[in-house]
Amino acid sequence: LRFRRLERGACLLARLDAYFTSALDHPTWVAWRKDAELDYKYKEGDQWTAAELAELERRQQPPTVNNQVKVTIDRMVGQFVAQRSRVGFRGRNAPQDEPIAAVLSDLLRYIRTQSREEYEERDCAADGFTSGFGVLEVFASFDDLLQPEIRVRAVDPFEMFPDPHSRRYDWNEDASFLCRAKWLPIEEAEAQHPGAHLPQLAEPVDVPTGVDAFKNENYVDYDERGRPRRIRIGECWYKELFQERLLLSRGPDGAPVT
């Protein structure tokens, strides 16, 4: 994503909070998270309500489930895997462009193999077939020898809070911001944010269950002794717009010069 990570500062933190809150509370995403939670429950066979389970127990009937939802999703994922296309390059002007096209095609195959892209795409497709929303993250990292490599990862859609006014599949085109909230162990969060004293930020609270338990003080997950073990870290990327002026002219040979 061509977004810049928000810097520290009171004004920027307030701006970040406004972005995140607008995505968190927007009716579109509130409705999606509510429906998506039900979608995943049906996929996992959790298809009876509490009232229905109580009635079945009163009747001494087993809560039998004929899970056609998972069968359908598995079939669609299988079709996706079987029909997936491989992307390659072909030279526009043969034969002089063919060597470059072959190198680019090999590079795509290498990235696909190195990042296990086929499995990440499958998980993303499964999320999309289940809840209508799947996310792939593409980023650059470094291996143990400090060599750059491109990574592709499927992202839990419940972690993402994009600009609710975005209408494009590619958020780079029209989204003003993108937020991500991810649960991290306290030790990992401290390592990523040294000096933040994260365990001291909150006291034990009664955290509601469900995927949408994320408002007010519900940023910390506690163990049975009331000690914080995980914290939900929010990240936000935003666009900065600026005006660029170009002066176009022609050189002595008539070719355009910027």
Side-chain angles (χ1 to χ4, degrees):
L1 291 174
R2 298 185 295 272
F3 291 91
R4 195 179 75 179
R5 189 184 299 270
L6 279 172
E7 302 169 356
R8 292 185 178 181
C11 293
L12 288 178
L13 286 177
R15 185 177 177 184
L16 182 153
D17 181 68
Y19 282 151
F20 188 46
T21 302
S22 66
L24 184 67
D25 295 335
H26 194 276
T28 299
W29 292 107
V30 171
W32 176 82
R33 290 193 298 272
K34 181 180 179 181
D35 293 340
E37 182 179 7
L38 185 62
D39 294 336
Y40 280 96
K41 284 184 177 180
Y42 266 64
K43 177 184 175 182
E44 298 301 325
D46 185 6
Q47 301 181 9
W48 295 99
T49 65
E52 291 170 340
L53 289 174
E55 179 63 21
L56 289 174
E57 184 177 2
R58 186 185 67 82
R59 298 179 182 180
Q60 297 183 350
Q61 294 179 343
T64 304
V65 174
N66 182 12
N67 194 345
Q68 293 298 314
V69 176
K70 187 177 187 305
V71 172
T72 302
I73 293 175
D74 289 346
R75 175 175 55 82
M76 295 172 67
V77 171
Q79 291 176 345
F80 170 80
V81 172
Q83 299 175 5
R84 184 167 42 209
S85 301
R86 182 176 65 83
V87 179
F89 288 86
R90 297 189 63 181
R92 181 184 296 272
N93 301 309
Q96 57 267 31
D97 290 344
E98 291 303 323
I100 298 178
V103 170
L104 293 176
S105 297
D106 290 342
L107 179 61
L108 281 182
R109 284 196 294 269
Y110 173 78
I111 293 173
R112 186 176 184 85
T113 302
Q114 185 74 12
S115 64
R116 303 173 64 87
E117 182 180 340
E118 58 179 319
Y119 302 105
E120 303 296 334
E121 283 184 340
R122 182 188 63 190
D123 292 343
C124 179
D127 287 333
F129 294 145
T130 303
S131 64
F133 184 40
V135 182
L136 272 181
E137 179 185 19
V138 182
F139 60 96
S141 64
F142 296 87
D143 59 18
D144 295 338
L145 300 178
L146 300 182
Q147 296 298 314
E149 56 184 5
I150 297 177
R151 312 294 292 178
V152 180
R153 290 290 180 267
V155 178
D156 185 348
F158 289 107
E159 294 181 1
M160 305 307 301
F161 297 86
D163 180 359
H165 301 291
S166 173
R167 293 295 181 269
R168 305 296 300 173
Y169 287 107
D170 185 354
W171 289 319
N172 292 296
E173 295 184 14
D174 66 341
S176 298
F177 65 90
L178 174 64
C179 297
R180 181 178 183 179
K182 182 179 180 180
W183 285 105
L184 294 176
I186 289 292
E187 296 79 8
E188 183 177 345
E190 287 182 319
Q192 293 186 9
H193 306 275
H197 303 293
L198 297 177
Q200 303 176 15
L201 294 179
E203 297 179 355
V205 293
D206 294 328
V207 181
T209 59
V211 297
D212 201 28
F214 188 66
K215 292 188 177 181
N216 299 326
E217 73 278 10
N218 303 322
Y219 291 81
V220 183
D221 178 33
Y222 296 91
D223 60 19
E224 62 279 358
R225 298 182 181 180
R227 297 177 301 184
R229 57 185 174 187
R230 296 190 306 163
I231 188 168
R232 206 168 191 182
I233 300 295
E235 297 180 350
C236 185
W237 292 263
Y238 74 105
K239 286 180 178 177
E240 279 191 341
L241 302 179
F242 61 91
Q243 188 177 45
E244 183 179 22
R245 296 182 179 181
L246 299 177
L247 177 61
L248 301 179
S249 60
R250 292 186 179 275
D253 57 352
V257 177
T258 302

Short mmCIF file of all heavy atoms in Angstrom, two decimals, residues 90-148:
data_model
loop_
_atom_site.label_atom_id
_atom_site.label_comp_id
_atom_site.label_asym_id
_atom_site.label_seq_id
_atom_site.Cartn_x
_atom_site.Cartn_y
_atom_site.Cartn_z
N ARG A 90 4.64 -11.76 -22.06
CA ARG A 90 4.98 -12.03 -23.44
C ARG A 90 5.47 -10.73 -24.07
O ARG A 90 4.92 -9.66 -23.82
CB ARG A 90 3.77 -12.55 -24.23
CG ARG A 90 3.25 -13.88 -23.72
CD ARG A 90 2.20 -14.45 -24.66
NE ARG A 90 2.77 -14.73 -25.97
CZ ARG A 90 2.05 -15.22 -26.99
NH1 ARG A 90 0.75 -15.45 -26.83
NH2 ARG A 90 2.62 -15.46 -28.15
N GLY A 91 6.52 -10.82 -24.87
CA GLY A 91 7.09 -9.62 -25.48
C GLY A 91 6.15 -9.00 -26.50
O GLY A 91 5.50 -9.70 -27.29
N ARG A 92 6.08 -7.68 -26.48
CA ARG A 92 5.24 -6.98 -27.46
C ARG A 92 5.86 -7.08 -28.86
O ARG A 92 5.16 -7.22 -29.86
CB ARG A 92 5.07 -5.52 -27.04
CG ARG A 92 4.18 -4.71 -28.00
CD ARG A 92 4.14 -3.25 -27.58
NE ARG A 92 3.55 -3.10 -26.28
CZ ARG A 92 2.24 -2.95 -26.05
NH1 ARG A 92 1.40 -2.96 -27.07
NH2 ARG A 92 1.78 -2.81 -24.83
N ASN A 93 7.17 -6.96 -28.90
CA ASN A 93 7.89 -6.99 -30.19
C ASN A 93 8.80 -8.21 -30.21
O ASN A 93 9.85 -8.22 -29.57
CB ASN A 93 8.71 -5.71 -30.38
CG ASN A 93 7.86 -4.46 -30.35
OD1 ASN A 93 6.86 -4.36 -31.05
ND2 ASN A 93 8.25 -3.49 -29.53
N ALA A 94 8.36 -9.25 -30.90
CA ALA A 94 9.17 -10.46 -31.00
C ALA A 94 10.16 -10.29 -32.16
O ALA A 94 9.84 -9.65 -33.17
CB ALA A 94 8.28 -11.66 -31.22
N PRO A 95 11.35 -10.89 -32.04
CA PRO A 95 11.82 -11.69 -30.91
C PRO A 95 12.64 -10.91 -29.89
O PRO A 95 13.08 -11.46 -28.90
CB PRO A 95 12.68 -12.75 -31.59
CG PRO A 95 13.30 -12.00 -32.75
CD PRO A 95 12.25 -11.01 -33.21
N GLN A 96 12.85 -9.60 -30.12
CA GLN A 96 13.78 -8.87 -29.26
C GLN A 96 13.29 -8.72 -27.83
O GLN A 96 14.11 -8.57 -26.90
CB GLN A 96 14.08 -7.48 -29.85
CG GLN A 96 12.87 -6.60 -30.08
CD GLN A 96 12.31 -6.74 -31.48
OE1 GLN A 96 12.42 -7.81 -32.07
NE2 GLN A 96 11.74 -5.66 -32.01
N ASP A 97 11.98 -8.75 -27.60
CA ASP A 97 11.44 -8.60 -26.23
C ASP A 97 11.31 -9.92 -25.49
O ASP A 97 10.99 -9.92 -24.29
CB ASP A 97 10.08 -7.91 -26.28
CG ASP A 97 10.18 -6.45 -26.67
OD1 ASP A 97 11.31 -5.91 -26.61
OD2 ASP A 97 9.16 -5.85 -27.05
N GLU A 98 11.50 -11.03 -26.17
CA GLU A 98 11.26 -12.33 -25.54
C GLU A 98 12.19 -12.61 -24.36
O GLU A 98 11.74 -13.14 -23.34
CB GLU A 98 11.36 -13.44 -26.57
CG GLU A 98 10.24 -13.43 -27.60
CD GLU A 98 8.87 -13.53 -26.94
OE1 GLU A 98 8.74 -14.25 -25.93
OE2 GLU A 98 7.94 -12.88 -27.43
N PRO A 99 13.48 -12.29 -24.43
CA PRO A 99 14.34 -12.56 -23.25
C PRO A 99 13.89 -11.81 -22.00
O PRO A 99 13.89 -12.37 -20.91
CB PRO A 99 15.72 -12.10 -23.72
CG PRO A 99 15.68 -12.22 -25.20
CD PRO A 99 14.28 -11.84 -25.58
N ILE A 100 13.50 -10.55 -22.16
CA ILE A 100 13.02 -9.78 -21.00
C ILE A 100 11.73 -10.37 -20.46
O ILE A 100 11.53 -10.49 -19.25
CB ILE A 100 12.83 -8.30 -21.38
CG1 ILE A 100 14.17 -7.69 -21.81
CG2 ILE A 100 12.24 -7.52 -20.23
CD1 ILE A 100 14.06 -6.24 -22.25
N ALA A 101 10.83 -10.74 -21.36
CA ALA A 101 9.57 -11.34 -20.93
C ALA A 101 9.80 -12.64 -20.18
O ALA A 101 9.14 -12.92 -19.17
CB ALA A 101 8.66 -11.59 -22.14
N ALA A 102 10.76 -13.43 -20.62
CA ALA A 102 11.05 -14.69 -19.95
C ALA A 102 11.61 -14.45 -18.56
O ALA A 102 11.26 -15.15 -17.60
CB ALA A 102 12.04 -15.51 -20.78
N VAL A 103 12.49 -13.44 -18.41
CA VAL A 103 13.04 -13.12 -17.10
C VAL A 103 11.95 -12.66 -16.14
O VAL A 103 11.89 -13.09 -14.98
CB VAL A 103 14.13 -12.03 -17.22
CG1 VAL A 103 14.55 -11.53 -15.85
CG2 VAL A 103 15.34 -12.59 -17.97
N LEU A 104 11.05 -11.81 -16.61
CA LEU A 104 9.96 -11.33 -15.76
C LEU A 104 9.03 -12.47 -15.36
O LEU A 104 8.55 -12.53 -14.23
CB LEU A 104 9.18 -10.22 -16.47
CG LEU A 104 9.94 -8.91 -16.71
CD1 LEU A 104 9.09 -7.94 -17.53
CD2 LEU A 104 10.36 -8.29 -15.40
N SER A 105 8.75 -13.38 -16.29
CA SER A 105 7.90 -14.53 -15.96
C SER A 105 8.57 -15.42 -14.92
O SER A 105 7.92 -15.89 -13.98
CB SER A 105 7.60 -15.33 -17.23
OG SER A 105 6.88 -14.56 -18.16
N ASP A 106 9.87 -15.65 -15.07
CA ASP A 106 10.59 -16.45 -14.07
C ASP A 106 10.59 -15.76 -12.71
O ASP A 106 10.50 -16.42 -11.67
CB ASP A 106 12.03 -16.68 -14.53
CG ASP A 106 12.10 -17.63 -15.72
OD1 ASP A 106 11.12 -18.35 -15.95
OD2 ASP A 106 13.14 -17.61 -16.42
N LEU A 107 10.69 -14.43 -12.72
CA LEU A 107 10.68 -13.69 -11.45
C LEU A 107 9.34 -13.84 -10.74
O LEU A 107 9.30 -14.04 -9.52
CB LEU A 107 10.98 -12.22 -11.73
CG LEU A 107 10.99 -11.28 -10.51
CD1 LEU A 107 12.07 -11.73 -9.53
CD2 LEU A 107 11.22 -9.85 -10.96
N LEU A 108 8.25 -13.78 -11.49
CA LEU A 108 6.94 -13.97 -10.88
C LEU A 108 6.79 -15.37 -10.31
O LEU A 108 6.24 -15.56 -9.22
CB LEU A 108 5.83 -13.70 -11.90
CG LEU A 108 5.49 -12.25 -12.20
CD1 LEU A 108 4.34 -12.17 -13.19
CD2 LEU A 108 5.14 -11.50 -10.92
N ARG A 109 7.28 -16.37 -11.03
CA ARG A 109 7.21 -17.74 -10.53
C ARG A 109 8.05 -17.91 -9.27
O ARG A 109 7.64 -18.61 -8.33
CB ARG A 109 7.66 -18.73 -11.61
CG ARG A 109 6.64 -18.96 -12.70
CD ARG A 109 6.97 -20.19 -13.52
NE ARG A 109 8.22 -20.01 -14.25
CZ ARG A 109 8.29 -19.53 -15.49
NH1 ARG A 109 7.18 -19.19 -16.13
NH2 ARG A 109 9.46 -19.40 -16.10
N TYR A 110 9.20 -17.26 -9.23
CA TYR A 110 10.06 -17.34 -8.04
C TYR A 110 9.37 -16.71 -6.84
O TYR A 110 9.36 -17.28 -5.74
CB TYR A 110 11.37 -16.64 -8.32
CG TYR A 110 12.26 -16.53 -7.09
CD1 TYR A 110 12.99 -17.62 -6.64
CD2 TYR A 110 12.33 -15.34 -6.36
CE1 TYR A 110 13.80 -17.54 -5.52
CE2 TYR A 110 13.12 -15.24 -5.24
CZ TYR A 110 13.85 -16.34 -4.81
OH TYR A 110 14.63 -16.24 -3.69
N ILE A 111 8.77 -15.52 -7.02
CA ILE A 111 8.06 -14.86 -5.92
C ILE A 111 6.90 -15.72 -5.45
O ILE A 111 6.66 -15.86 -4.25
CB ILE A 111 7.57 -13.48 -6.37
CG1 ILE A 111 8.75 -12.55 -6.63
CG2 ILE A 111 6.64 -12.87 -5.32
CD1 ILE A 111 8.36 -11.21 -7.23
N ARG A 112 6.20 -16.30 -6.38
CA ARG A 112 5.05 -17.15 -6.03
C ARG A 112 5.49 -18.36 -5.21
O ARG A 112 4.83 -18.71 -4.22
CB ARG A 112 4.35 -17.60 -7.31
CG ARG A 112 3.05 -18.36 -7.08
CD ARG A 112 2.38 -18.67 -8.40
NE ARG A 112 1.10 -19.31 -8.18
CZ ARG A 112 -0.03 -18.66 -7.97
NH1 ARG A 112 -0.03 -17.35 -7.92
NH2 ARG A 112 -1.17 -19.30 -7.78
N THR A 113 6.60 -18.97 -5.60
CA THR A 113 7.09 -20.13 -4.87
C THR A 113 7.68 -19.73 -3.52
O THR A 113 7.41 -20.37 -2.50
CB THR A 113 8.15 -20.87 -5.70
OG1 THR A 113 7.58 -21.25 -6.96
CG2 THR A 113 8.64 -22.11 -4.97
N GLN A 114 8.49 -18.68 -3.50
CA GLN A 114 9.17 -18.25 -2.29
C GLN A 114 8.20 -17.82 -1.20
O GLN A 114 8.40 -18.08 -0.02
CB GLN A 114 10.14 -17.10 -2.61
CG GLN A 114 11.00 -16.64 -1.46
CD GLN A 114 12.11 -17.63 -1.16
OE1 GLN A 114 12.36 -18.54 -1.95
NE2 GLN A 114 12.75 -17.47 -0.01
N SER A 115 7.13 -17.14 -1.59
CA SER A 115 6.16 -16.62 -0.61
C SER A 115 4.99 -17.58 -0.37
O SER A 115 4.08 -17.23 0.39
CB SER A 115 5.62 -15.27 -1.08
OG SER A 115 4.90 -15.41 -2.29
N ARG A 116 5.01 -18.74 -1.03
CA ARG A 116 3.91 -19.71 -0.91
C ARG A 116 2.58 -19.04 -1.25
O ARG A 116 1.56 -19.20 -0.56
CB ARG A 116 3.88 -20.31 0.49
CG ARG A 116 5.18 -21.00 0.88
CD ARG A 116 5.19 -21.45 2.32
NE ARG A 116 4.18 -22.47 2.57
CZ ARG A 116 4.37 -23.76 2.40
NH1 ARG A 116 5.53 -24.20 1.94
NH2 ARG A 116 3.43 -24.64 2.66
N GLU A 117 2.61 -18.28 -2.32
CA GLU A 117 1.46 -17.46 -2.70
C GLU A 117 0.21 -18.29 -2.97
O GLU A 117 -0.91 -17.87 -2.68
CB GLU A 117 1.81 -16.62 -3.93
CG GLU A 117 0.71 -15.70 -4.39
CD GLU A 117 1.12 -14.89 -5.60
OE1 GLU A 117 2.34 -14.77 -5.86
OE2 GLU A 117 0.23 -14.39 -6.30
N GLU A 118 0.39 -19.49 -3.53
CA GLU A 118 -0.79 -20.29 -3.86
C GLU A 118 -1.60 -20.65 -2.63
O GLU A 118 -2.84 -20.69 -2.69
CB GLU A 118 -0.35 -21.55 -4.60
CG GLU A 118 0.62 -22.44 -3.83
CD GLU A 118 0.99 -23.68 -4.62
OE1 GLU A 118 0.08 -24.27 -5.24
OE2 GLU A 118 2.17 -24.06 -4.61
N TYR A 119 -0.94 -20.87 -1.49
CA TYR A 119 -1.65 -21.20 -0.26
C TYR A 119 -2.28 -19.94 0.36
O TYR A 119 -3.39 -20.00 0.91
CB TYR A 119 -0.70 -21.85 0.73
CG TYR A 119 -0.05 -23.10 0.19
CD1 TYR A 119 1.28 -23.08 -0.20
CD2 TYR A 119 -0.77 -24.29 0.05
CE1 TYR A 119 1.89 -24.22 -0.71
CE2 TYR A 119 -0.18 -25.42 -0.46
CZ TYR A 119 1.16 -25.39 -0.84
OH TYR A 119 1.75 -26.52 -1.36
N GLU A 120 -1.57 -18.82 0.25
CA GLU A 120 -2.12 -17.57 0.79
C GLU A 120 -3.35 -17.14 -0.02
O GLU A 120 -4.33 -16.66 0.54
CB GLU A 120 -1.05 -16.47 0.76
CG GLU A 120 0.22 -16.82 1.52
CD GLU A 120 -0.02 -17.00 3.01
OE1 GLU A 120 -0.97 -16.41 3.54
OE2 GLU A 120 0.75 -17.75 3.65
N GLU A 121 -3.29 -17.31 -1.34
CA GLU A 121 -4.45 -16.98 -2.18
C GLU A 121 -5.64 -17.88 -1.85
O GLU A 121 -6.79 -17.42 -1.84
CB GLU A 121 -4.08 -17.14 -3.65
CG GLU A 121 -3.25 -16.00 -4.22
CD GLU A 121 -3.00 -16.18 -5.70
OE1 GLU A 121 -3.13 -17.32 -6.19
OE2 GLU A 121 -2.66 -15.19 -6.36
N ARG A 122 -5.35 -19.14 -1.57
CA ARG A 122 -6.44 -20.05 -1.23
C ARG A 122 -7.13 -19.63 0.07
O ARG A 122 -8.36 -19.64 0.16
CB ARG A 122 -5.88 -21.47 -1.09
CG ARG A 122 -6.92 -22.53 -0.77
CD ARG A 122 -6.26 -23.85 -0.46
NE ARG A 122 -5.41 -23.75 0.72
CZ ARG A 122 -4.57 -24.71 1.10
NH1 ARG A 122 -4.46 -25.81 0.39
NH2 ARG A 122 -3.84 -24.55 2.19
N ASP A 123 -6.33 -19.24 1.08
CA ASP A 123 -6.93 -18.78 2.34
C ASP A 123 -7.72 -17.50 2.14
O ASP A 123 -8.79 -17.32 2.74
CB ASP A 123 -5.83 -18.55 3.38
CG ASP A 123 -5.16 -19.84 3.82
OD1 ASP A 123 -5.75 -20.92 3.57
OD2 ASP A 123 -4.06 -19.78 4.39
N CYS A 124 -7.21 -16.61 1.30
CA CYS A 124 -7.93 -15.37 1.01
C CYS A 124 -9.25 -15.67 0.31
O CYS A 124 -10.28 -15.07 0.62
CB CYS A 124 -7.06 -14.44 0.16
SG CYS A 124 -7.84 -12.88 -0.31
N ALA A 125 -9.21 -16.61 -0.64
CA ALA A 125 -10.43 -16.98 -1.34
C ALA A 125 -11.44 -17.61 -0.38
O ALA A 125 -12.65 -17.35 -0.48
CB ALA A 125 -10.11 -17.95 -2.48
N ALA A 126 -10.97 -18.43 0.55
CA ALA A 126 -11.87 -19.04 1.53
C ALA A 126 -12.56 -17.98 2.38
O ALA A 126 -13.76 -18.07 2.66
CB ALA A 126 -11.10 -20.02 2.41
N ASP A 127 -11.80 -16.95 2.79
CA ASP A 127 -12.42 -15.84 3.53
C ASP A 127 -13.46 -15.13 2.68
O ASP A 127 -14.53 -14.77 3.17
CB ASP A 127 -11.34 -14.85 3.98
CG ASP A 127 -10.48 -15.38 5.11
OD1 ASP A 127 -10.97 -16.23 5.87
OD2 ASP A 127 -9.32 -14.95 5.22
N GLY A 128 -13.12 -14.91 1.42
CA GLY A 128 -14.07 -14.22 0.54
C GLY A 128 -15.33 -15.02 0.31
O GLY A 128 -16.44 -14.47 0.32
N PHE A 129 -15.19 -16.34 0.11
CA PHE A 129 -16.37 -17.17 -0.10
C PHE A 129 -17.23 -17.28 1.17
O PHE A 129 -18.44 -17.45 1.09
CB PHE A 129 -15.96 -18.57 -0.54
CG PHE A 129 -15.31 -18.61 -1.90
CD1 PHE A 129 -14.29 -19.51 -2.17
CD2 PHE A 129 -15.71 -17.75 -2.90
CE1 PHE A 129 -13.68 -19.54 -3.42
CE2 PHE A 129 -15.11 -17.77 -4.15
CZ PHE A 129 -14.09 -18.68 -4.41
N THR A 130 -16.59 -17.17 2.33
CA THR A 130 -17.31 -17.30 3.59
C THR A 130 -18.05 -16.03 3.96
O THR A 130 -19.24 -16.05 4.27
CB THR A 130 -16.35 -17.68 4.72
OG1 THR A 130 -15.67 -18.89 4.38
CG2 THR A 130 -17.11 -17.88 6.03
N SER A 131 -17.32 -14.90 3.93
CA SER A 131 -17.90 -13.66 4.44
C SER A 131 -18.01 -12.57 3.39
O SER A 131 -18.52 -11.48 3.69
CB SER A 131 -17.05 -13.13 5.60
OG SER A 131 -15.74 -12.78 5.14
N GLY A 132 -17.53 -12.82 2.17
CA GLY A 132 -17.57 -11.80 1.14
C GLY A 132 -16.42 -10.83 1.16
O GLY A 132 -16.39 -9.86 0.40
N PHE A 133 -15.41 -11.08 2.02
CA PHE A 133 -14.31 -10.13 2.18
C PHE A 133 -13.03 -10.89 2.48
O PHE A 133 -12.92 -11.53 3.52
CB PHE A 133 -14.64 -9.16 3.32
CG PHE A 133 -13.64 -8.06 3.54
CD1 PHE A 133 -13.03 -7.44 2.47
CD2 PHE A 133 -13.31 -7.67 4.82
CE1 PHE A 133 -12.11 -6.42 2.67
CE2 PHE A 133 -12.40 -6.64 5.04
CZ PHE A 133 -11.80 -6.02 3.95
N GLY A 134 -12.09 -10.84 1.56
CA GLY A 134 -10.78 -11.45 1.76
C GLY A 134 -9.69 -10.44 1.48
O GLY A 134 -9.85 -9.55 0.65
N VAL A 135 -8.57 -10.57 2.18
CA VAL A 135 -7.50 -9.58 2.08
C VAL A 135 -6.16 -10.28 1.87
O VAL A 135 -5.85 -11.25 2.56
CB VAL A 135 -7.42 -8.70 3.36
CG1 VAL A 135 -6.33 -7.64 3.21
CG2 VAL A 135 -8.76 -8.04 3.66
N LEU A 136 -5.39 -9.78 0.91
CA LEU A 136 -4.01 -10.21 0.69
C LEU A 136 -3.08 -9.03 0.94
O LEU A 136 -3.35 -7.92 0.48
CB LEU A 136 -3.81 -10.71 -0.73
CG LEU A 136 -4.09 -12.18 -1.04
CD1 LEU A 136 -3.80 -12.46 -2.50
CD2 LEU A 136 -3.27 -13.11 -0.15
N GLU A 137 -2.01 -9.27 1.65
CA GLU A 137 -1.00 -8.25 1.91
C GLU A 137 0.27 -8.60 1.14
O GLU A 137 0.76 -9.72 1.22
CB GLU A 137 -0.70 -8.17 3.40
CG GLU A 137 0.37 -7.14 3.76
CD GLU A 137 0.74 -7.17 5.23
OE1 GLU A 137 0.45 -8.19 5.89
OE2 GLU A 137 1.29 -6.17 5.71
N VAL A 138 0.79 -7.66 0.40
CA VAL A 138 2.03 -7.83 -0.34
C VAL A 138 3.04 -6.81 0.20
O VAL A 138 2.75 -5.62 0.24
CB VAL A 138 1.83 -7.62 -1.85
CG1 VAL A 138 3.14 -7.85 -2.61
CG2 VAL A 138 0.74 -8.56 -2.38
N PHE A 139 4.20 -7.29 0.62
CA PHE A 139 5.18 -6.40 1.21
C PHE A 139 6.58 -6.94 0.95
O PHE A 139 6.76 -8.10 0.56
CB PHE A 139 4.94 -6.24 2.72
CG PHE A 139 5.02 -7.53 3.49
CD1 PHE A 139 6.19 -7.92 4.13
CD2 PHE A 139 3.92 -8.37 3.57
CE1 PHE A 139 6.26 -9.11 4.83
CE2 PHE A 139 3.97 -9.57 4.27
CZ PHE A 139 5.15 -9.95 4.90
N ALA A 140 7.56 -6.10 1.19
CA ALA A 140 8.97 -6.48 1.03
C ALA A 140 9.59 -6.68 2.39
O ALA A 140 9.33 -5.92 3.33
CB ALA A 140 9.73 -5.41 0.26
N SER A 141 10.40 -7.72 2.53
CA SER A 141 11.11 -7.99 3.78
C SER A 141 12.53 -8.45 3.41
O SER A 141 12.92 -8.44 2.24
CB SER A 141 10.39 -9.04 4.61
OG SER A 141 10.36 -10.28 3.93
N PHE A 142 13.28 -8.89 4.43
CA PHE A 142 14.66 -9.33 4.22
C PHE A 142 14.84 -10.69 4.87
O PHE A 142 14.31 -10.94 5.95
CB PHE A 142 15.65 -8.32 4.80
CG PHE A 142 15.61 -6.97 4.13
CD1 PHE A 142 14.73 -6.00 4.55
CD2 PHE A 142 16.44 -6.71 3.06
CE1 PHE A 142 14.68 -4.76 3.93
CE2 PHE A 142 16.40 -5.47 2.43
CZ PHE A 142 15.52 -4.49 2.86
N ASP A 143 15.61 -11.55 4.19
CA ASP A 143 15.87 -12.87 4.74
C ASP A 143 17.05 -12.81 5.71
O ASP A 143 17.54 -11.72 6.06
CB ASP A 143 16.12 -13.88 3.62
CG ASP A 143 17.32 -13.48 2.74
OD1 ASP A 143 18.15 -12.64 3.17
OD2 ASP A 143 17.43 -14.03 1.64
N ASP A 144 17.52 -13.97 6.15
CA ASP A 144 18.60 -14.01 7.13
C ASP A 144 19.91 -13.44 6.59
O ASP A 144 20.78 -13.02 7.36
CB ASP A 144 18.83 -15.45 7.60
CG ASP A 144 17.63 -15.99 8.36
OD1 ASP A 144 16.85 -15.17 8.88
OD2 ASP A 144 17.47 -17.23 8.42
N LEU A 145 20.06 -13.43 5.29
CA LEU A 145 21.26 -12.88 4.66
C LEU A 145 21.06 -11.44 4.23
O LEU A 145 21.87 -10.90 3.46
CB LEU A 145 21.67 -13.73 3.47
CG LEU A 145 22.00 -15.19 3.78
CD1 LEU A 145 22.34 -15.95 2.50
CD2 LEU A 145 23.15 -15.28 4.79
N LEU A 146 19.96 -10.82 4.70
CA LEU A 146 19.64 -9.43 4.39
C LEU A 146 19.40 -9.20 2.91
O LEU A 146 19.62 -8.11 2.38
CB LEU A 146 20.73 -8.48 4.89
CG LEU A 146 20.99 -8.51 6.41
CD1 LEU A 146 22.07 -7.50 6.78
CD2 LEU A 146 19.71 -8.23 7.19
N GLN A 147 18.91 -10.25 2.24
CA GLN A 147 18.54 -10.13 0.84
C GLN A 147 17.05 -9.80 0.76
O GLN A 147 16.23 -10.43 1.43
CB GLN A 147 18.83 -11.43 0.09
CG GLN A 147 20.31 -11.78 0.03
CD GLN A 147 21.11 -10.73 -0.71
OE1 GLN A 147 20.73 -10.27 -1.79
NE2 GLN A 147 22.24 -10.35 -0.13
N PRO A 148 16.67 -8.80 -0.03
CA PRO A 148 15.25 -8.43 -0.11
C PRO A 148 14.42 -9.52 -0.78
O PRO A 148 14.89 -10.20 -1.69
CB PRO A 148 15.27 -7.14 -0.93
CG PRO A 148 16.52 -7.23 -1.75
CD PRO A 148 17.51 -7.97 -0.90
#
